[in-house]
Amino acid sequence: MKNTRKKKFRIRFKKKNKTQAEFSNKKVVRESEFERKKRELKDKRKIQRAKRRLIVITFFVFLIGVTIMVFKAPFFNVSEVICVGYEKLAKEDILKVAKVEKGQNVFMINIGDIKKRVSEIPYVAEYNARRIFPNKVKIWVRESKPAFVIE
């Protein structure tokens, strides 16, 4: 049968009893040249790290500000929607289906949604949509050719 008793370990520290005289007679220890340079380099690295953090934070704040300005600037609002390639379809029908309105921000318009809506028009065989910076949207369509015509 094994002894399952746990052993307790104690670490004992010797207490130093310093007298008042020992505290008043402190010796001034001068650091070596190597230790001084090491401490200076450590302080210099701390300052460099702080500067680097400040630069990164400033850059991100600037980037966020520019992004907000781009999305809010009237310079990038749609002033014209260009439709190209239609013959039998009316331009108004294409614009109505595409749901692109003047005054919307060019960056807020989802080109994929415009392409999807234009593809649902039965007379359209090929289509494309794209932004033309700074303030235009171009919708290109190619109408399908009729296979036969009954009179």
Side-chain angles (χ1 to χ4, degrees):
M1 192 165 166
K2 288 186 178 179
N3 188 0
T4 57
R5 201 167 143 204
K6 294 182 181 178
K7 293 182 181 179
K8 293 183 181 178
F9 293 98
R10 291 185 185 169
I11 300 173
R12 295 185 184 179
F13 296 100
K14 291 184 181 178
K15 292 183 180 178
K16 293 183 180 178
N17 295 329
K18 292 187 177 183
T19 62
Q20 190 66 23
E22 289 177 1
F23 281 115
S24 63
N25 294 331
K26 286 184 182 176
K27 293 182 181 177
V28 178
V29 179
R30 295 187 180 198
E31 60 185 356
S32 67
E33 187 70 23
F34 174 74
E35 289 172 343
R36 186 182 59 77
K37 284 183 180 179
K38 190 175 177 182
R39 185 178 42 82
E40 287 175 359
L41 281 174
K42 194 174 183 181
D43 293 343
K44 194 174 183 180
R45 280 191 211 114
K46 281 182 183 180
I47 292 170
Q48 286 175 344
R49 250 185 270 133
K51 284 181 182 179
R52 202 175 313 130
R53 285 182 187 144
L54 182 66
I55 289 170
V56 168
I57 289 170
T58 306
F59 174 74
F60 280 116
V61 168
F62 176 74
L63 193 65
I64 289 169
V66 168
T67 304
I68 290 171
M69 285 178 51
V70 164
F71 283 114
K72 297 293 181 181
F75 182 69
F76 293 106
N77 290 348
V78 175
S79 65
E80 185 180 359
V81 180
I82 304 168
C83 289
V84 179
Y86 61 92
E87 294 171 11
K88 296 176 185 160
L89 288 171
K91 179 180 179 179
E92 293 77 26
D93 293 338
I94 296 171
L95 293 179
K96 187 189 292 183
V97 171
K99 295 181 182 176
V100 179
E101 298 174 5
K102 291 182 180 178
Q104 288 179 317
N105 193 299
V106 172
F107 297 106
M108 299 299 284
I109 293 174
N110 192 340
I111 298 295
D113 285 347
I114 294 173
K115 290 178 183 180
K116 186 177 178 182
R117 288 188 210 116
V118 170
S119 70
E120 294 172 355
I121 300 173
Y123 297 114
V124 175
E126 296 178 42
Y127 54 90
N128 197 4
R130 59 181 289 200
R131 296 178 185 97
I132 298 176
F133 291 106
N135 56 2
K136 295 178 185 172
V137 175
K138 183 177 181 180
I139 300 173
W140 172 82
V141 295
R142 180 173 291 157
E143 294 178 356
S144 57
K145 304 280 183 189
F148 61 92
V149 178
I150 300 174
E151 288 186 30

